[in-house]
Amino acid sequence: LGLSGPPGAGKSTFIECFGKMLTERKYKVSVLAVDPSSSTSGGSLLGDKTRMTELSRDMNAYIRPSPTRGTLGGVTRTTNEAILLCEGGGYDVVLVETVGM
């Protein structure tokens, strides 16, 4: 499931609430959060994991921030592969949060 929208629209807040609802129902949830890249390190600038504190502590949830590294379109070059890895790892639901559009 992909979620997109402008910065500050509440994507991370929605994902945390929705993810907690799913884990309470015994689903394993993976969140692939695409963030802007740091010009210094090239890594994720925002780190959405810090905005999903409850979900990040849930044993049935996995949150992976990924930097865009200049890729346009809201996702990274490796988002498709990351989705496949999460599915192969036994996650029931994979949520992809695009970088703010």
Side-chain angles (χ1 to χ4, degrees), residues 33-37 44-48 51 65-69 97 99:
V34 181
D35 288 333
S37 298
S44 290
L45 187 62
L46 298 175
D48 278 328
R51 289 187 271 162
S66 300
T68 59
R69 299 200 177 171
E97 178 184 3
V99 67

Side-chain angles (χ1 to χ4, degrees), residues 37-43 45:
S37 298
S38 164
S39 58
T40 306
S41 68
L45 187 62

Side-chain angles (χ1 to χ4, degrees), residues 32 74 77:
L32 303 174
R77 288 187 184 108

Side-chain angles (χ1 to χ4, degrees), residues 40-96:
T40 306
S41 68
S44 290
L45 187 62
L46 298 175
D48 278 328
K49 197 173 200 174
T50 61
R51 289 187 271 162
M52 299 180 208
T53 53
E54 286 184 44
L55 190 60
S56 68
R57 289 189 291 249
D58 193 314
M59 294 302 291
N60 287 317
Y62 169 73
I63 301 172
R64 169 77 176 148
S66 300
T68 59
R69 299 200 177 171
T71 302
L72 299 176
V75 295
T76 69
R77 288 187 184 108
T78 58
T79 298
N80 288 337
E81 290 86 352
I83 291 169
L84 292 173
L85 284 170
C86 290
E87 290 174 343
Y91 288 92
D92 303 304
V93 178
V94 180
L95 303 173
V96 179

